[in-house]
Every structure is written in structure tokens, then in C-alpha cells.
Amino acid sequence: MFAGISVLSGDPLYEVAARYVADLRPQRIDLGVGVYRDGSGRAPVMKAVKRAERCLVDRQETKAYRPLLGDPAFLRTMNDLVLGADCPALAEHRIVAIQTVGGTGALRLAAALAGSASTEPRIHLGAPTWPSHAGVFAAESVVAVEHAYWERGANAPLVDQILIAARNSSPNDLFLFHGPCHNPTGVDLSMAERREALAILQRTGAVPMLDIAYYGLGSGIDDDLEIARDMVARSQRAMIALSCSKAFGLYRERVGALFVLCADAGEAVRVRDKLGRLSRLMVSTPPAHGAEAVAMILDNPDLTQAWRDELAGMRDRIIRLRARLAASGLSVLASLGDERGIFAMLPLNPAQVHRLMLDHAIHLPASGRANLVGMRDDDIPHFLAALEAVGCR
């Protein structure tokens, strides 16, 4: 049965993580997998999450299955957080929300929905993008159509190329937008640029899709989520794939949601039934623990404020780190202060990346994509010296 399975290359990010773990040098730095770390290098459980989990342990009376669409309190509180309690589409019953196994699960479910609704489903992806985007959609036979989003040396998105791609979209295509803090570049579209692209998609009939994971780490939770609210307000149909991994620090709990904006309430009923059936075949029902913790945080004003405050502290660390690197005097880092989020595409070639790993214990993918908050505060002088040593100025 398995003799015909071919050898596959490993996942680049997890290969970086494995090399880091095996590196016993005390000065080692992990700039690979996208996990937020504080100034001491820890990836702590957020205090609001800890408090919610203690309450869950004390109050929980069953481990029975949850509904097919997920935890009702989680879906209600996420609707309010992401779309706003006064969202007209919610009042019109045009929004379908389903809990998913992380943001990746939301993307996979969206791909399955697109595949079931179209005979030749396509998704337009800006390059570079999260490495798994194309693969997740390909697994559901959704063809990726790439366009240029960014190129080395540019401090802004390639808006002309993005708008050309939007004009070339067809009815029922998906067109992917990143949320705030673009992965992997840190270079975001402005709201005006997003709106221009959305207006084109409304004319072509393509469906905008938002992949949003880093809300709260860009300009603040409300400003960052305005991207989602604005897209829903300007679209007849849309999809939003959301992750709770970064904003709530629930990486291993696999908490996410998919929101689908439908043309009318009748269409929403059909989409809800379809999503429930698709999810049943994929995962049966989504995991409960992390979703219940999120719902408890968002339903309790004290926990909500504690979460917002801690998230603001994480954002401030990112901003300070970027500013410090941008002011280092190395021209290759000068643009970091103008970008957002934890990621940056450092102008390194594979040979330089290899030398950073071999000679300086700094681990990152060959592409140069760096998770900047993988650095401890005390790592910065070593990091800057290592860049100079491999020829970066």
C-alpha cells in the first residue's frame, strides 16, 4: 500500500526549529517559527488565559462533544469581537461562523467550501505569502494563481500588480488578503489600497478572503480588526479565516474560526449546513478547551481588559524591537521601523543564512524570513555583529 509514496522534502520552518534545538551554543537565536516571545525569550501563557483556564477546571462538569459548528459562546463572542455587535450583516443573518482547528483549519474548510461550490475553483495569492497557503488550498483542488505582492528593496506593497490581479479575477474566484502584520514581509496594504482592490472584486464577482492571525500586534486590537469589518461592509460575499494562536497565545490549543458572508439569509442557511457537513467529515467536532477559554475571556470585562493590556504590551515590545534594529546603523535593517508585526524579510542570500547558522548560531529559513521577536533583548548586539560579519551593512 505505501510502497509508492515518494520522499518529500521537510518543512523548512520545522527544520530550522530542529537545528536550533540541536545547537547547544549559549548564544543561539531562533528566528524561525512564528511564536511571540518576550524579552527574556519565553513564550508565556497569557495571564488572562491562565485565569480563564483555572475557572474552567473548577467549573467544567463534562467532556462531552460540542455542537458541529463549535462552542456557541465562542462563536458569539468572536462575532462581536471581529465584526462588531452592531454589524448589519449579523442582523440580516448573512454571517455564518464555525469554529475550526486553528487558522489553518479555517483555511482548509474555506477551501473545501470553495471546491464544493465551483467546478474550477481558484484562489489569487500575493507572493510572497505564508508558505502553506498554496498547499492548503491545493489539498481541496483549489488552484493557486500567484501575483506579485512585494519584492526585495521595496518598502511598500506592489499595489499596481495587486490591482491588475484583482482585475484579472473571475466570478467565484477567491482573492486572498492578509490581515495586519503581513506574513512574511511585515509590509501591509493601507485601508485605501484594500478598498480599491475590494471595489474591483465586487465588479469581477470574485470573493475576497481575509486571513487574519496577528490582530492586536499591529496598531491595536480595534484598529487591526477594522480591516475585517470594512471588508464585510463593502462586500456581497466574503470569507474570513481567523486564528487565536497569536492574539491569545493559544498556539497548541488550535483555536480558530471561519466566517462566511453570504448574499442573503437563505444562502447563509445552505452554507451553514454545508460547513457543518464538511467539518463533520474532517474533524467531527472542534476541540473545546481553548475555545472555552477565549469565550470566558471575552465574556468577562475584567478578563477582557487584562487580555487587551497584555496584548498591548506584546505590541509595544515588537515596536520597540523594530525601532532599535532600524536605528542600529545597518542599512539592511533601516526599513524595519516602517513595517509591522513579528516578521521581516531580511535581505540575505542562502549562503549568508547558512553562515549565520554555522558561525553565529542564528537560525532562520533560507528565504531570510525572520521572526524578530525570537530575539531576546540581550541578543541584539550579537545579532547585529553577526549580520556585519556575513557582509550586511
Side-chain angles (χ1 to χ4, degrees), residues 342-372:
I342 67 175
F343 292 119
M345 289 292 287
L346 300 181
L348 301 168
N349 59 46
Q352 290 172 311
V353 171
H354 184 69
R355 283 187 59 198
L356 285 173
M357 181 271 293
L358 198 64
D359 299 340
H360 304 282
I362 296 174
H363 299 266
L364 71 161
S367 65
R369 192 211 75 164
N371 171 19
L372 299 175

Side-chain angles (χ1 to χ4, degrees), residues 73-85:
F74 171 75
L75 296 173
R76 170 179 52 78
T77 55
M78 292 306 293
N79 271 333
D80 290 349
L81 176 71
V82 177
L83 303 176

Side-chain angles (χ1 to χ4, degrees), residues 88 90 178:
L90 283 173
H178 285 237

Side-chain angles (χ1 to χ4, degrees), residues 225-282:
L225 288 173
E226 184 59 28
I227 295 169
R229 297 165 187 164
D230 190 73
M231 188 179 80
V232 167
R234 295 172 182 274
S235 303
Q236 182 185 39
R237 294 183 176 91
M239 289 201 278
I240 301 169
L242 177 136
S243 169
C244 293
S245 294
K246 277 69 177 180
F248 291 88
L250 291 168
Y251 303 94
R252 65 177 62 173
E253 301 297 345
R254 312 311 300 137
V255 185
L258 175 65
F259 304 87
V260 182
L261 172 68
C262 301
D264 54 50
E267 183 174 280
V269 170
R270 298 190 298 274
V271 168
R272 181 178 294 108
D273 290 345
K274 186 66 175 180
L275 284 174
R277 179 65 60 85
L278 291 169
S279 184
R280 170 72 164 152
L281 297 176
M282 286 183 183

